[in-house]
Amino acid sequence: MLLGMMSAAAAPSQAAPQKLAGSAIVCSNSPIPAGWVVTSSYSSAGCPGTGVAYSIADATGQTALTVCSFSPIPAGWVVTSSYSSAGCAGSGVAYSIGNVATSNYATVCSFSPIPAGWVVTSSYSSAGCAGTGVAYSIGNVATSNYATVCSFSPIPAGWVVTSSYSSAGCAGTGVAYSIAKITTSNYATVCSFSPIPTGWVVTSSYSSAGCAGTGIAYTIANVATSNYASVCSFSPIPTGWRVTGSYRNAGCAGSGISYNISRA
């Protein structure tokens, strides 16, 4: 008996799941095990309710696979191309996917998952990405301190946006960001739309031509080793801190108000 299927004569209580090993056939309403992918789908009378069966495979130890567009994509894998496929009943679209665990650069379709710690460095038209027609160049910044990314790129934890500007290399928005890792710093200047790392506060804000989009930059500080700080009223307040007072401050463009904060 195949996983996810049962004969017409069998009662649900009689169905015994098989241990998966390498590949299997399941009904389309069957859960897909973690790390497995759907390699094809087709009509099947053996799957009452959906009438569709999937061929699935274990991606462990693999570096490249072809999957249906509705397949789960394992962590650390990306979509490198997409195209029409009669072997994927339901969507009619297949993806080529690759494991980038040992890579630092890759070209992916715009709808591909972006692995943790990776960024989008450029985007452009691509006939090889059916559906959007757009591809991304992506890079792993795990060992870097600075990078240039498109404005729609994920920003890794502990990184900030230091400037933004027009870029023809970022099709879609036409805007690129300069980003920097600040995990070993105590102070930084960032654009107002930058993520503010946990434990950091905004100490001032001002007009900046280097932050296209808002035209506002922030000075931020790490208060991990401090007990007191003066912050702009729109600053995040770290966990365990409280506001002890407020006052007018022209150095906080946007609100004109500062807070005195201290550890609770």
Side-chain angles (χ1 to χ4, degrees):
M1 186 182 296
L2 298 175
L3 178 68
M5 299 183 182
M6 60 181 127
S7 66
S13 61
Q14 296 173 308
Q18 288 184 337
K19 182 178 179 180
L20 298 180
S23 63
I25 306 297
V26 302
C27 291
S28 60
N29 55 354
S30 172
I32 307 300
W36 285 62
V37 295
V38 179
T39 57
S40 67
S41 65
Y42 51 90
S43 297
S44 173
C47 289
T50 66
V52 176
Y54 289 164
S55 295
I56 64 172
D58 187 354
T60 303
Q62 303 296 315
T63 58
L65 288 166
T66 298
V67 304
C68 292
S69 59
F70 43 79
S71 171
I73 308 298
W77 287 67
V78 295
V79 179
T80 57
S81 67
S82 65
Y83 49 91
S84 297
S85 173
C88 289
S91 70
V93 176
Y95 291 164
S96 294
I97 64 173
N99 185 342
V100 294
T102 60
S103 304
N104 288 318
Y105 304 96
T107 298
V108 305
C109 292
S110 58
F111 44 79
S112 172
I114 307 299
W118 287 64
V119 296
V120 179
T121 57
S122 67
S123 64
Y124 50 91
S125 297
S126 173
C129 290
T132 63
V134 176
Y136 291 164
S137 294
I138 64 173
N140 184 349
V141 294
T143 60
S144 303
N145 291 317
Y146 303 96
T148 299
V149 305
C150 291
S151 58
F152 45 79
S153 172
I155 308 298
W159 288 66
V160 294
V161 179
T162 57
S163 68
S164 65
Y165 51 91
S166 297
S167 173
C170 290
T173 63
V175 176
Y177 291 163
S178 295
I179 64 173
K181 183 189 293 185
I182 59 170
T183 50
T184 60
S185 304
N186 288 318
Y187 302 96
T189 298
V190 305
C191 291
S192 58
F193 44 78
S194 172
I196 308 297
T198 301
W200 287 65
V201 295
V202 178
T203 57
S204 69
S205 65
Y206 52 91
S207 297
S208 173
C211 289
T214 62
I216 301 289
Y218 291 164
T219 302
I220 64 173
N222 184 349
V223 293
T225 60
S226 303
N227 290 316
Y228 304 94
S230 178
V231 305
C232 292
S233 58
F234 44 78
S235 171
I237 307 299
T239 301
W241 288 66
R242 63 184 178 182
V243 177
T244 58
S246 63
Y247 57 94
R248 296 190 181 280
N249 182 359
C252 288
S255 71
I257 301 290
S258 278
Y259 291 160
N260 290 323
I261 64 173
S262 67
R263 290 188 186 274

